[in-house]
Amino acid sequence: MYKFRSQAAADLIMLTPAGDRVLALLGREPAPKGIIEVADMAQAIERLSAAVAADEAARQQAPTDEDEGEGRRPAEAVSLRQRVWPLVQMLRTCQAADEPVVWGV
């Protein structure tokens, strides 16, 4: 489980699979401890936004449960946008307050 913390925002908890995926989207290896420096937050927000846009484009193209035929993909219960939105908000808040985000500390 990941617990993202900062002096500027409330704690954010993610289960390990979601946290690992988010860290991979940020170009980081999943690790029990880490930090996102203020200088890296703009790029982190951009990466997460780009991943959300790509995920939503893929969802538009993929067959859903309502479509007929084999090879259809069941709709995920929680979208990537919903998973990363709290972290994006945390990063924006922390960037404005000039505070890093840490986990596992």
Side-chain angles (χ1 to χ4, degrees):
M1 183 165 60
Y2 290 93
K3 186 174 188 179
F4 296 95
R5 304 178 69 171
S6 177
Q7 295 283 329
D11 293 352
L12 172 64
I13 297 174
M14 281 189 191
L15 296 178
T16 302
D20 288 349
R21 183 176 181 198
V22 167
L23 290 177
L25 291 172
L26 293 175
R28 296 171 174 255
E29 290 291 322
K33 292 182 181 181
I35 186 168
I36 302 173
E37 297 285 350
V38 175
D40 300 328
M41 289 182 184
Q43 182 182 22
I45 293 167
E46 278 183 37
R47 282 178 168 244
L48 293 175
S49 298
V52 166
D55 180 67
E56 289 178 347
R59 284 172 169 263
Q60 294 286 338
Q61 299 294 325
T64 64
D65 286 337
E66 297 171 3
D67 296 334
E68 293 185 29
E70 298 206 14
R72 64 183 177 188
R73 164 185 108 140
E76 285 185 61
V78 179
S79 70
L80 183 60
R81 177 181 293 279
Q82 292 168 312
R83 292 241 183 250
V84 302
W85 182 83
L87 183 58
V88 169
Q89 294 302 312
M90 179 183 218
L91 290 171
R92 287 181 178 147
T93 300
C94 294
Q95 186 179 29
D98 201 33
E99 290 287 339
V101 173
V102 297
W103 63 94
V105 185

